[in-house]
Amino acid sequence: VVVPLYGMGTDTSTQTDIFHQPDQVRSDVLFVVDNSGSMGWAQNELADNFSDFISWAVTRDVDYHIGVISTEVQEAETGQGNPPRDIYPGVLVHPDTRPPYITNQTPDFEAAFSDNVHVGTCCSDEQEAGLEAAWMALSEPLVSDPTGNAGFLREDAKLYIVCVSDEQDQSRGNADFYVDYFSHIKGVRNRDMMKVSAIVGDAPDGCGNDTAASGSRYIEVANRTGGLFQSICTSNWAMALESLGIDAFAFLRAVP
């Protein structure tokens, strides 16, 4: 087989590549919050320390979407949490008085997040599957369903997933599947455009005293996508959420 090759030479020894950094960060943050019976205290910590998470975004005038889903992947539950709301697998959770996700235009956004993140302690005990729930939320049909999650995920925004659980992830797929799927949402070369972080029990044995089991599956996915791990048994939730917020809302540090 003869394959003709053609080329062109140049005597120019330098080349300048120009990459344009947008003036405003756009970031879509998805909190995946365990709504099993032992998680009420962690939901309170998320709500009470949300100001530390969002402070970087407010200071830098970030254009953000922040939504919450539960770890429920099996069945719908109605009238859960405080204020009451319906829980559907993979669907953004919110009471009727709050929007499905908050933005930098949402009035009283801290109170709105507090209401949304209190997903209750009714469900998902039979399968606390945060990675699978996130996959459901960010895939068809829910991601473009007007009665589901339409409008949350934007093509030109960073995607930052935060999984919060005191149990091991019990999703059906292996870690490779979720790393591959989440990475391809923004493109595997756009590494700074998508990260998974985790507030879970320490690996390999959890936090001790039956406070939290190891969340090693979440930690593996976080490590492989460039995200952060924070122990759910930390005594300083403010610092943990501040670190996640800086990571979620920072300017891109790399270009494809």
Side-chain angles (χ1 to χ4, degrees):
V1 177
V2 178
V3 180
L5 299 177
Y6 301 91
M8 180 178 290
T10 178
D11 57 5
T12 302
S13 60
T14 61
Q15 175 177 318
T16 301
D17 294 329
I18 299 175
F19 300 94
H20 295 282
Q21 179 76 271
D23 294 331
Q24 185 182 41
V25 175
R26 293 163 64 86
S27 187
D28 300 333
V29 181
L30 182 66
F31 279 88
V32 186
V33 181
D34 191 339
N35 62 326
S36 61
S38 59
M39 280 291 292
W41 68 276
Q43 295 168 26
N44 290 337
E45 292 284 7
L46 288 170
D48 292 345
N49 295 283
F50 179 68
S51 60
D52 295 280
F53 176 81
I54 202 66
S55 60
W56 184 270
V58 173
T59 301
R60 300 298 187 274
D61 189 30
V62 173
D63 179 0
Y64 57 79
H65 288 181
I66 301 177
V68 179
I69 62 171
S70 76
T71 53
E72 176 62 56
V73 296
Q74 294 192 355
E75 57 190 6
E77 300 284 347
T78 59
Q80 303 300 323
N82 183 26
R85 81 289 312 279
D86 298 335
I87 304 289
Y88 297 98
V91 177
L92 294 169
V93 179
H94 63 102
D96 291 340
T97 56
R98 298 298 185 183
Y101 53 88
I102 67 172
T103 75
N104 56 338
Q105 302 299 316
T106 301
D108 201 7
F109 58 86
E110 291 189 26
F113 177 80
S114 177
D115 285 347
N116 286 1
V117 83
H118 280 103
V119 295
T121 55
C122 68
C123 319
S124 78
D125 291 278
E126 71 280 4
Q127 186 182 359
E128 293 158 66
L131 296 176
E132 184 172 345
W135 166 74
M136 295 173 68
L138 298 169
S139 60
E140 297 294 350
L142 291 180
V143 72
S144 58
D145 185 349
T147 64
N149 302 335
F152 170 75
L153 185 66
R154 297 171 292 178
E155 183 177 357
D156 60 345
K158 295 168 58 176
L159 172 60
Y160 200 83
I161 304 169
V162 183
C163 298
V164 187
S165 179
D166 62 355
E167 290 290 344
Q168 180 66 279
D169 174 63
Q170 299 163 33
S171 302
R172 290 172 291 181
N174 57 31
D176 290 340
F177 171 80
Y178 297 108
V179 169
D180 183 66
Y181 184 82
F182 296 143
S183 297
H184 276 82
I185 292 175
K186 298 298 178 181
V188 293
R189 295 183 63 195
N190 297 325
R191 295 184 178 180
D192 264 11
M193 289 289 287
M194 195 291 303
K195 294 182 180 182
V196 179
S197 288
I199 306 176
V200 295
D202 304 65
D205 300 319
C207 299
N209 299 322
D210 295 324
T211 305
S214 170
S216 58
R217 279 172 53 93
Y218 292 112
I219 295 171
E220 178 183 354
V221 173
N223 289 338
R224 291 174 59 183
T225 59
L228 303 178
F229 158 67
Q230 301 287 345
S231 174
I232 198 171
C233 297
T234 180
S235 60
N236 194 338
W237 276 74
M239 181 177 293
L241 286 172
E242 181 181 28
S243 297
L244 293 174
I246 292 173
D247 199 35
F249 302 121
F251 278 105
L252 298 181
R253 296 185 295 274
V255 293

